Amino acid sequence: MERILGKSTTVTKQDNEHWISMSDLMAGLMMVFLFISVAYMHYVQVEKNKIKEVAVAYQNAQTELYNALESEFAKDLPNWDAEIDKQTLEFRFKSPDVLFKTGSSDLQLGFKSTLDSFFPRYLAVLDQFKDHITEVRIEGHTSSDWTGTSNPDVAYFNNMELSQGRTRTVLEYVYEMDDIVTQRPWIKAHFSAVGYSSSHPVMTEKGREDPQRSRRVTFKVLTNAELQIRRIIQE
């Protein structure tokens, strides 16, 4: 019996030693995982702070650019029937009858006169914020109507061709201005002409399309904040 009991005691002691070593191993692994978790949380916080810094810088630059545009053009906006959107940095010309004839991409004389006054001053404002600008997009928008057809798909593609032609005409006109010759390389690198057809209509309070207000041309500044955030994520 003593031999048996003694033998049993020896086995129990070995088992205990075995479980103690396993406990030490598990404790060590838990510490490793804890360190990894803490390190990862620190990394996430650092990246979050970087993105926050970019967002704050973007917001400040956007506000400063809006204020500069507003200061430069405040007196002209009523005469041009134009507005500046603080959130999107869109400079909108809203009088379609002044911009183009119905169904035409040829500039009206009144719009040419407006562009003659607007564009050189617009570039002068943007020049102060070039480090923050990725693209300046001249956007053309139409209503969903098209004379001679009730087919919405036909109207959409006809208006697509029209809106693209109009924005190209605007870009060609401002590009050929004598006052901005030295700016042409920057314009080539950063300006684009985009026609959206009727895909971004202006709606009334009742949720219906406002055809008159939907016909517009805008100059929209796109900043590089999104690009900077994407680079941080990729890194």
Side-chain angles (χ1 to χ4, degrees):
M1 288 294 292
E2 290 179 356
R3 290 180 180 179
I4 295 174
L5 291 174
K7 187 177 180 180
S8 177
T9 302
T10 301
V11 172
T12 301
K13 183 177 181 181
Q14 290 176 347
D15 288 344
N16 287 340
E17 289 176 352
H18 171 73
W19 283 110
I20 290 173
S21 63
M22 288 296 295
S23 299
D24 291 341
L25 177 61
M26 293 302 296
L29 289 175
M30 289 180 64
M31 290 299 296
V32 171
F33 289 136
L34 178 61
F35 285 134
I36 292 174
S37 299
V38 171
Y40 179 74
M41 291 174 63
H42 175 70
Y43 168 79
V44 170
Q45 186 62 44
V46 169
E47 296 304 300
K48 183 178 179 180
N49 289 339
K50 287 182 181 179
I51 294 175
K52 183 177 180 180
E53 289 176 5
V54 172
V56 171
Y58 159 73
Q59 185 65 43
N60 291 340
Q62 183 177 22
T63 300
E64 291 175 7
L65 177 52
Y66 169 79
N67 290 338
L69 290 171
E70 181 71 20
S71 175
E72 177 66 33
F73 295 107
K75 295 181 180 179
D76 300 297
L77 295 177
N79 297 330
W80 296 343
D81 190 20
E83 64 183 7
I84 307 170
D85 191 306
K86 188 174 183 178
Q87 301 302 318
T88 62
L89 295 179
E90 285 184 346
F91 200 112
R92 301 189 188 115
F93 294 97
K94 303 183 296 178
S95 291
D97 294 337
V98 175
L99 307 180
F100 305 92
K101 291 182 179 180
T102 302
S104 172
S105 60
D106 295 332
L107 295 174
Q108 296 269 55
L109 290 177
F111 193 31
K112 288 182 178 180
S113 177
T114 296
L115 291 173
D116 290 340
S117 175
F118 161 75
F119 194 68
R121 294 158 60 194
Y122 184 68
L123 280 184
V125 172
L126 298 188
D127 188 61
Q128 307 169 47
F129 301 90
K130 283 184 175 180
D131 291 342
H132 299 282
I133 295 174
T134 300
E135 182 182 0
V136 182
R137 191 178 294 165
I138 302 176
E139 300 180 345
H141 302 270
T142 69
S143 69
S144 60
D145 299 327
W146 186 268
T147 302
T149 182
S150 58
N151 187 316
D153 294 332
V154 172
Y156 173 76
F157 285 105
N158 285 344
N159 279 315
M160 177 66 72
E161 182 178 0
L162 178 63
S163 61
Q164 289 175 341
R166 286 177 170 179
T167 57
R168 178 177 175 178
T169 300
V170 171
L171 181 54
E172 287 180 336
Y173 183 80
V174 298
Y175 183 82
E176 294 297 329
M177 290 181 177
D178 294 334
D179 295 343
I180 55 89
V181 172
T182 58
Q183 296 274 36
R184 285 178 181 174
W186 192 80
I187 293 174
K188 279 185 178 181
H190 293 85
F191 271 70
S192 62
V194 183
Y196 284 107
S197 185
S198 57
S199 57
H200 300 295
V202 175
M203 310 302 288
T204 66
E205 294 180 356
K206 295 182 179 180
R208 297 179 179 177
E209 178 187 354
D210 186 328
Q212 182 74 8
R213 294 177 60 205
S214 294
R215 303 183 188 107
R216 64 201 188 276
V217 170
T218 70
F219 287 72
K220 182 177 182 179
V221 176
L222 303 179
T223 68
N224 57 14
E226 182 179 346
L227 177 61
Q228 293 183 30
I229 291 174
R230 190 181 300 117
R231 285 175 178 173
I232 291 174
I233 294 173
Q234 290 175 348
E235 290 173 357

